[in-house]
C-alpha cells in the first residue's frame, strides 16, 4: 500500500502591529477629551446663564416695583408650573414659573415683581399670595403637617370638610411641623387658601 506523506503545516500567530494599538488608544483618548470639552462648554454656558438670571432677578428686586398677577393656567411638564397674567400701564404681560406644588388654582392672585423700565422682566412670587378686596373670604385654623426647605403642607377644615394645601414660604422663615396658624380661604372655593405665617 502506498501511503501519502502528510506535511506538517507550521502554526503561525499573527501579531497585532504596535502602531495599530497605539492608534486605537489615541482615538479613545481623543474621544474622551472631546467629551470632556463638550461637557465643559455646557457647564460654562449653564453658569453664564445662571449669572445673567441672578443679575436679572437682582435688578427686578432692586426696582422694588410690584403689581398683582392672576393665575390663568397651570400644568405639569418636568414639574408643576403656573402662568400668571398682569397689567402695567394698560399693557398685558405673562409670566410662567415653576409652581411649588400642583395645588395652584386658576384665578388665584400672587404678587408680581417687575423691573420698572422693563415690565416684561418679572418674577412670580409664590410666597406672597393675596385675595382681592371684592373676594369673599373667611378664616379657620390650619396645622402644618409637613415642611421642607421651601414649602409647607397644612391641613384645615371648613364646615366639617377636610382640606390640605401646600404653600411656599419666604427664605429664612422658621416654621415647624405641628404649629397652627390662621388660614384665610375663599368662601366660594375653600381649596384656595392662605396660611397666615407672616
Amino acid at each position: 500500500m502506498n501511503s501519502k506523506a502528510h506535511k506538517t503545516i507550521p502554526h503561525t500567530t499573527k501579531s497585532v502591529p504596535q502602531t495599530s494599538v497605539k492608534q486605537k488608544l489615541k482615538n479613545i483618548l481623543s474621544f474622551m477629551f472631546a467629551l470632556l470639552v463638550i461637557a465643559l462648554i455646557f457647564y460654562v454656558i449653564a453658569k453664564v446663564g445662571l449669572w445673567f438670571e441672578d443679575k436679572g432677578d437682582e435688578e427686578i428686586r432692586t426696582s422694588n416695583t410690584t403689581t398683582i398677577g392672576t393665575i390663568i393656567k397651570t400644568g405639569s411638564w418636568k414639574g408643576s408650573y403656573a402662568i400668571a397674567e398682569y397689567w402695567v400701564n394698560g399693557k398685558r404681560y405673562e409670566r410662567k414659573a415653576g409652581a411649588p406644588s400642583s395645588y395652584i388654582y386658576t384665578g388665584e392672585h400672587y404678587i408680581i415683581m417687575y423691573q420698572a423700565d422693563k415690565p416684561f422682566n418679572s418674577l412670580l412670587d409664590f410666597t406672597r399670595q393675596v385675595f382681592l378686596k371684592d373676594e369673599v373670604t373667611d378664616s379657620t385654623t390650619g396645622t402644618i403637617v409637613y415642611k421642607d426647605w421651601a414649602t409647607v403642607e397644612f391641613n384645615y377644615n371648613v364646615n366639617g370638610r377636610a382640606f390640605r394645601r401646600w404653600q411656599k414660604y419666604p427664605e429664612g422663615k422658621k416654621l415647624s411641623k405641628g404649629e397652627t396658624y390662621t388660614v384665610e380661604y375663599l368662601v366660594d372655593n375653600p381649596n384656595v387658601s392662605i396660611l397666615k405665617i407672616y
Side-chain angles (χ1 to χ4, degrees), residues 153-173:
E153 180 185 7
F154 59 97
N155 293 345
Y156 57 102
N157 288 277
V158 176
N159 298 325
R161 182 183 171 190
F163 293 87
R164 68 170 182 163
R165 185 91 196 266
W166 288 82
Q167 181 172 312
K168 190 172 183 180
Y169 62 88
E171 185 177 352
K173 181 69 176 179

Side-chain angles (χ1 to χ4, degrees), residues 103 105 138-146 152-167 181 183-195:
Y103 293 91
Y105 301 94
D138 204 342
S139 62
T140 185
T141 300
T143 303
I144 294 177
V145 295
Y146 176 81
V152 291
E153 180 185 7
F154 59 97
N155 293 345
Y156 57 102
N157 288 277
V158 176
N159 298 325
R161 182 183 171 190
F163 293 87
R164 68 170 182 163
R165 185 91 196 266
W166 288 82
Q167 181 172 312
Y181 293 88
V183 174
E184 185 179 7
Y185 63 88
L186 199 61
V187 171
D188 290 341
N189 182 9
N191 289 294
V192 178
S193 61
I194 304 174
L195 187 68

Side-chain angles (χ1 to χ4, degrees), residues 45-105:
I45 291 174
K47 292 296 284 185
V48 171
L50 287 174
W51 181 82
F52 276 110
E53 183 178 339
D54 290 342
K55 190 173 185 296
D57 291 354
E58 184 181 347
E59 290 175 349
I60 293 171
R61 290 189 173 90
T62 301
S63 179
N64 196 30
T65 316
T66 63
T67 187
I68 295 176
T70 302
I71 302 299
I72 59 173
K73 184 179 180 181
T74 62
S76 179
W77 175 252
K78 295 182 180 180
S80 300
Y81 70 87
I83 299 175
E85 69 170 3
Y86 61 102
W87 297 77
V88 177
N89 298 325
K91 188 174 180 180
R92 181 182 177 276
Y93 298 90
E94 287 187 6
R95 171 54 56 197
K96 180 179 179 181
S101 77
S102 57
Y103 293 91
I104 300 291
Y105 301 94

